[in-house]
C-alpha cells in the first residue's frame, strides 16, 4: 500500500487554514469547519490510509463535505492549491500575531491595513511610538496590553540556561522529597540530560496521593500562572517565563515514566524499537504485549503488563539486555547500541577533578586575589589552580602589561615557595589571539609561564569562517616552549550571542598536530567547545581541559556545568587533563 502524507502534517495544515481564514475575517462557520476537521482527524483512531482507501472519510464525525476532498488531495499529492494560494495572500508575520493576547484578527487586519504593520518588530516599534493608541477603536490601554503580551511571548518562547533552571528546580525537587506522601522524585527532561539550554522542566513524582502533591506544587510562591491542574499532571509558569510540568505516578510506573520523560525523543524511539524486537510495546506506563489490542488508557489501565519487577531505570535497561545509560548520553547518538554491546564509556565525574586552569584575579577583571582563589580551590579538595588573567590588548578587561605579568609571575613563584597556600598555583595567562593570528606577548615572556590559554576576544566579526579558522590555527601552531590551551573556541554566549563561524574539524586536526589542549569552558553561558564535538575530538587524540573561567571563587561551581557537558561528549576522565594530580600536571607541562 502506498504511503501518503503523514496525518500529523495534514492536521497542522487544516489548523493553519483555520488561522489564515480568521485573519481574513472569513465566515465563522467556514473557520470552524477547518478547526473541527483538524480535531476530528487528529483523534480518529483508525489508520488514515485505510479510511481513505475505503472512501469512508465522510463517515467520520466532524469532517464535512468540503474537507473530504481537501484531505484526500493532501494525502495523495502532498499539496493543496487552495492552501498555497491562501497562504500567499496573507503576510507571514500576521499569523504569529494571533498568539498575542487581546489582539484578535480584526485588530491585526486594522493595523496591517492602516499602518502597514506586517511583522512583530514593526508592531513593537509602533506600540512604543504610540501609533496604535491613535487608531480608532484602540486606546492607550490596548496598546500597553499588546506590548506586554508581546514581551511575555518572547519570554515564554525562550529557552533557559541549564544553570539558571538548576537554581529553580533543585529546591523544588528537595521540597517534593520532603512531602510525606512522596516516595520518589526526579527532574527529568532535557535538564536531567544536561542540555546547555532547557525548554521546560519535567518533574516526575512517585506517590499514591497525587492530589496532595499537586496542591503543594501549584501553590509554590514562585508560581505566577497555573496553566493546567489535573489528577496526574499539572503545568505552571514561574517568574521569568520558565514553565514546568509535574507528573505524579504510582511507584510501579515510576521507572517507565522517568525514562520516557527524560528522553530524548531520539533515544526513546530507539528504545521502543528494541522493546518491539522482543515483542513488547513500551510506553511511559510499562512494557506490554505488542499484540494486546486493548485500548491504551491513562496509567496503562486495561492492558496487561508483560514484564514485571521493574523497579528502577537500571531494571528497565536490564530487561532490554542493556547496561544503564547515563542520562547525559541519551541523545540517540549511539548510546543504545553501545549499551547493548556493553561498551558504554565510564564517564568523567565531578569527583575526578583535581584542579582547575583558566582563572582571573583582581589583576585583570576578576573580583578576588590569588590567595583568595587558592584558598577556595583548597576547600574544594583540589591540588592546584591556574591563573590566566587577560593580556594587554584586552584593555577593557584591564589586561596586564608585560611588566605587570612579569611581576605576577614572580609573586606566584614566591607564594608557592612560601608554603602558605593550600594548593599549588600555576602561572598562566589568557593571551589574546590577535587578528593576524599572532599572540599578544613576546615569546620570551610567554615562555616564562607555566602554560598559556589562547583566546579570541576581539575582531570576532568581519572574518569569514576560513579566515577565522586560519587565524586560530596560526596561533595554535605558534612555536612556544610552554603548553597551549585553546580557550572558548567559538566565543558564543548562549541565548545571547551566536559564536563566530569556525571550521571545528580542522581545528581538531590542528590540535592533534600541534599538541594543543582544547578547553571546555565551564562557564554556563559558554560551554564551548560544544559537547557535540568532543567524542570526535577525543577519538582523534585531543586532550580536554574543563576550565571554569572563574572571575570569583564561587565561579568554581561552574565546574559542574562543565563536567556534565563533558559527559554529554562521552569523555572519560583520562581524556581530561585536570583529572591528573599535581605531579602528573607538572610532568605534562614541563
Ligand atoms: P526541552 O524541554 O525542549 O528542553 O526538551 P525535553 O527533552 O525536556 O522535551 P519535552 O519537555 O518536550 O519532553 C520531555 C521528554 O518526554 C522528551 O525528552 C521525550 C519525551 N517525549 C515528549 N514528547 C514525545 C514524543 O512525541 N515522542 C517521544 N518518543 N517522546 C516524547
Ligand atoms: Ca522539558
Ligand atoms: Ca515538558
Ligand atoms: Zn576569555
Amino acid at each position: 500500500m502506498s504511503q501518503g502524507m503523514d496525518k500529523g502534517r495534514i492536521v497542522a495544515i487544516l489548523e493553519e487554514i483555520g488561522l489564515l481564514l480568521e485573519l481574513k475575517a472569513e465566515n465563522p462557520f467556514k473557520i470552524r469547519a477547518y478547526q473541527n476537521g483538524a480535531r476530528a482527524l487528529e483523534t480518529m483512531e483508525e489508520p488514515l490510509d485505510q479510511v481513505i482507501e475505503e472512501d469512508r472519510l465522510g463517515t467520520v464525525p466532524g469532517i464535512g463535505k468540503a474537507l473530504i476532498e481537501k484531505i484526500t488531495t493532501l494525502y495523495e499529492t502532498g499539496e493543496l492549491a487552495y492552501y498555497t494560494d491562501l497562504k500567499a495572500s496573507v503576510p507571514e508575520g500576521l499569523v504569529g500575531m494571533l498568539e498575542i493576547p487581546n489582539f484578535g484578527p480584526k485588530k491585526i487586519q486594522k493595523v496591517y491595513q492602516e499602518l502597514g504593520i506586517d511583522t512583530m518588530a514593526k508592531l513593537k516599534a509602533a506600540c512604543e511610538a504610540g501609533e496604535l493608541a491613535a487608531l480608532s477603536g484602540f486606546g492607550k490601554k490596548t496598546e500597553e496590553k499588546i506590548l506586554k503580551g508581546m514581551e511575555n511571548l518572547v519570554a515564554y518562547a525562550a529557552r533557559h540556561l541549564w544553570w539558571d533552571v538548576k537554581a529553580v528546580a533543585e529546591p523544588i525537587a528537595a521540597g517534593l522529597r520532603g512531602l510525606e506522601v512522596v516516595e520518589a522524585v526526579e527532574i527529568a527532561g532535557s535538564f536531567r540530560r544536561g542540555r546547555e539550554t532547557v525548554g521546560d522542566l519535567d518533574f516526575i513524582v512517585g506517590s499514591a496521593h497525587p492530589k496532595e502533591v499537586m496542591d503543594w506544587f501549584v501553590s509554590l510562591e514562585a508560581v505566577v500562572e497555573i496553566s493546567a491542574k489535573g489528577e496526574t499532571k499539572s503545568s505552571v509558569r514561574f517568574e521569568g517565563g520558565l514553565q514546568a510540568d509535574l507528573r505524579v505516578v504510582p511507584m510501579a510506573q515510576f521507572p517507565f515514566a522517568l525514562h520516557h520523560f527524560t528522553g530524548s525523543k531520539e533515544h526513546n524511539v530507539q528504545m521502543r524499537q528494541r522493546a518491539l524486537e522482543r515483542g513488547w510495546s513500551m510506553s511511559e506506563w510499562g512494557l506490554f504485549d505488542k499484540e494486546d489490542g486493548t485500548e491504551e488508557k491513562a496509567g496503562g489501565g486495561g492492558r496487561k503488563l508483560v514484564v514485571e519487577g521493574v523497579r528502577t531505570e537500571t531494571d528497565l535497561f536490564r530487561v532490554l539486555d542493556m547496561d544503564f545509560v547515563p542520562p547525559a548520553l541519551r541523545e540517540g547518538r549511539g548510546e543504545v547500541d553501545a549499551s547493548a554491546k556493553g561498551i558504554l564509556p565510564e564517564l568523567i565525574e565531578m569527583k575526578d577533578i583535581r584542579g582547575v586552569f583558566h582563572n582571573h584575579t583582581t589583576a585583570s577583571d576578576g573580583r578576588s586575589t590569588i590567595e583568595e582563589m587558592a584558598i577556595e580551590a583548597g576547600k574544594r579538595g583540589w591540588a592546584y589552580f591556574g591563573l590566566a588573567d587577560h593580556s594587554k590588548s584586552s584593555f577593557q578587561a584591564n589586561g596586564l602589561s608585560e611588566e605587570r605579568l612579569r611581576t605576577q609571575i614572580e609573586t606566584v613563584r614566591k607564594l608557592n615557595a612560601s608554603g602558605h597556600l593550600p594548593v599549588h598555583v600555576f602561572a598562566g595567562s589568557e593571551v589574546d589571539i590577535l587578528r593576524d593570528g599572532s599572540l599578544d606577548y613576546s615569546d620570551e615572556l610567554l615562555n616564562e609561564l607555566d602554560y598559556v590559554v589562547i583566546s579570541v576576544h576581539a575582531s570576532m566579526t568581519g572574518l569569514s569562517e576560513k579566515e577565522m579558522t586560519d587565524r586560530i590555527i596560526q596561533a595554535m601552531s605558534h612555536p612556544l616552549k610552554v603548553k597551549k590551551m585553546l580557550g572558548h573556541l567559538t566565543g558564543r554566549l548562549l541565548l545571547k550571542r551566536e559564536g563566530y563561524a569556525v571550521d571545528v574539524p580542522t581545528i581538531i586536526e590542528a590540535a592533534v598536530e600541534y599538541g594543543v589542549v582544547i578547553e571546555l569552558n565551564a562557564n554556563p553561558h559558554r560551554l564551548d567547545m560544544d559537547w557535540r564535538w568532543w567524542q570526535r575530538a577525543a577519538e582523534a587524540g585531543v586532550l580536554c581541559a574543563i576550565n571554569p573561567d572563574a572571575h570569583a571563587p564561587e565561579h568554581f561551581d561552574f565546574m559542574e556545568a562543565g563536567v556534565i557537558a563533558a559527559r554529554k561528549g562521552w569523555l572519560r576522565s583520562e581524556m581530561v587533563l585536570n583529572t591528573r594530580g599535581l605531579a602528573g600536571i607538572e610532568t605534562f607541562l614541563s
Side-chain angles (χ1 to χ4, degrees), residues 358 360 390 430 455 457 488 526 549:
H358 190 169
H360 299 263
H390 287 286
E430 182 177 17
S455 307
H457 286 122
H488 45 68
R526 295 188 178 272
D549 200 350

Side-chain angles (χ1 to χ4, degrees), residues 159 189-190 193 198-200 202 260-265 268 272:
R159 296 183 66 80
S190 52
R193 303 198 312 278
V198 169
D200 73 350
D202 305 273
H260 176 85
F261 292 108
T262 295
S264 63
K265 222 167 164 171
N268 288 356
R272 273 207 302 271

Side-chain angles (χ1 to χ4, degrees), residues 259-419:
H259 178 269
H260 176 85
F261 292 108
T262 295
S264 63
K265 222 167 164 171
E266 294 73 18
H267 169 87
N268 288 356
V269 166
Q270 294 179 28
M271 291 289 285
R272 273 207 302 271
Q273 185 55 39
R274 207 170 156 79
L276 279 177
E277 286 159 14
R278 284 158 178 74
W280 305 329
S281 101
M282 177 169 148
S283 74
E284 63 262 52
W285 314 117
L287 283 163
F288 304 95
D289 183 347
K290 78 173 172 191
E291 305 298 339
D292 183 349
T294 318
E295 187 188 341
E296 186 157 3
K297 295 197 190 107
R303 308 185 76 194
K304 198 172 165 323
L305 275 175
V306 284
V307 180
E308 304 202 27
V310 172
R311 292 200 172 75
T312 62
E313 266 189 338
T314 306
D315 294 338
L316 175 53
F317 285 110
R318 186 177 36 75
V319 299
L320 293 167
D321 306 307
M322 297 168 74
D323 292 333
F324 177 82
V325 180
L329 292 185
R330 299 184 198 168
E331 299 291 349
R333 295 163 61 97
E335 75 282 0
V336 171
D337 260 7
S339 153
K341 290 192 189 119
I343 53 167
L344 278 177
E346 196 173 314
L347 299 177
I348 179 171
E349 294 178 43
M350 198 54 205
K351 68 170 174 49
D352 300 329
I353 299 294
R354 306 292 303 279
V356 288
F357 299 99
H358 190 169
N359 300 288
H360 299 263
T361 69
T362 46
S364 63
D365 59 349
R367 290 209 307 267
S368 308
T369 62
I370 301 176
E371 290 88 337
E372 286 164 338
M373 297 291 277
I375 288 166
E376 182 62 28
K379 279 193 191 146
R380 293 178 190 239
W382 295 335
Y384 51 90
F385 119 89
L387 285 183
D389 274 312
H390 287 286
S391 63
K392 60 179 192 258
S393 289
S394 280
F395 46 87
Q396 74 295 341
N398 192 25
L400 277 63
S401 65
E402 300 230 341
E403 197 184 321
R404 287 175 64 213
L405 180 58
R406 272 183 220 284
T407 310
Q408 192 185 49
I409 298 171
E410 272 169 40
T411 307
V412 169
R413 305 288 179 238
K414 278 188 201 143
L415 278 171
N416 281 331
S418 75

Side-chain angles (χ1 to χ4, degrees), residues 18 20-31 82 86 105:
L20 291 167
L21 291 174
E22 256 192 81
L23 278 171
K24 302 196 87 166
E26 284 270 356
N27 175 341
F29 291 103
K30 193 166 164 187
I31 298 171
Y82 174 72
L86 186 64

